[in-house]
């Protein structure tokens, strides 16, 4: 009986191990962003919990974020002007069963950009970004889109 159970466990582990492919890239299409600001000295969650986030404007602007986990880069492409794009170095990548977190380095900034892509309860995705800032900035800023298109390769 022990041999049978061990054989079944081995087959299941082997099958699941070989069928899962590593993620090579994540492509996120954003079409509407809600911009926001909060005190540079507060964490976003604390600012949000204390109702200290100011929602500045909503923009209808489509762009694509390509997170290349092989090259360790993050590219932003404006879909209206394909020639307008920026590529930055990927510093951190973390995956959970329902989210993807990346941290991006941009030259000249004292903090890094951060992006969280998370699955909603209705099987859609949301994206929330915190921009990096300079020493002279007095506010942190970021944006979010409640419904983004995500393609994982």
């Amino acid at each position: 009986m022990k041999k049978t159970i061990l054989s079944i466990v081995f087959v299941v582990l082997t099958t699941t191990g070989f069928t899962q492919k590593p993620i090579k890239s994540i492509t996120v299409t954003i079409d509407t962003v809600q911009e926001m600001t909060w005190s540079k000295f507060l964490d976003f969650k604390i600012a949000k919990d204390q109702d200290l986030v100011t929602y500045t404007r909503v923009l209808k602007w489509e762009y694509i974020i390509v997170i290349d986990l092989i090259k360790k880069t993050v590219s932003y492409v404006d879909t209206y002007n394909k020639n307008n794009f920026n590529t930055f170095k990927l510093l951190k990548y973390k995956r959970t069963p329902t989210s993807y977190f990346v941290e991006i380095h941009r030259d000249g900034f004292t903090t890094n950009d951060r992006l969280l892509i998370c699955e909603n309860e209705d099987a859609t995705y949301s994206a929330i970004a915190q921009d990096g800032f300079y020493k002279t900035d007095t506010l942190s800023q970021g944006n979010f889109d409640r419904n983004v298109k995500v393609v994982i390769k």
Side-chain angles (χ1 to χ4, degrees), residues 75-141:
S75 300
Y76 290 79
V77 181
D78 184 337
T79 57
Y80 299 116
N81 179 4
K82 300 268 191 222
N83 293 328
N84 186 11
F85 68 92
N86 292 300
T87 300
F88 303 104
K89 181 180 177 182
L90 173 65
L91 290 180
K92 292 182 185 175
Y93 167 73
K94 186 175 182 178
R95 177 183 177 190
T96 71
T98 58
S99 68
Y100 306 92
F101 171 80
V102 294
E103 193 166 327
I104 305 153
H105 174 72
R106 296 195 319 173
D107 289 335
F109 284 70
T110 59
T111 62
N112 298 318
D113 290 2
R114 297 179 179 136
L115 174 66
L116 175 66
I117 304 150
C118 54
E119 188 173 359
N120 301 318
E121 290 180 357
D122 60 357
T124 61
Y125 285 89
S126 292
I128 184 167
Q130 179 177 344
D131 301 340
F133 52 81
Y134 297 103
K135 287 181 182 179
T136 56
D137 290 343
T138 57
L139 293 174
S140 292
Q141 59 186 9

Side-chain angles (χ1 to χ4, degrees), residues 29-33 35 58-64 76-81 84 143 145:
T29 303
I30 295 175
D31 62 1
T32 306
V33 292
E35 292 185 334
V58 176
L59 295 174
K60 180 75 175 150
W61 174 41
E62 187 173 298
Y63 63 99
I64 298 168
Y76 290 79
V77 181
D78 184 337
T79 57
Y80 299 116
N81 179 4
N84 186 11
N143 62 69
D145 186 342

Side-chain angles (χ1 to χ4, degrees), residues 12 71 136:
V12 169
K71 295 180 183 176
T136 56

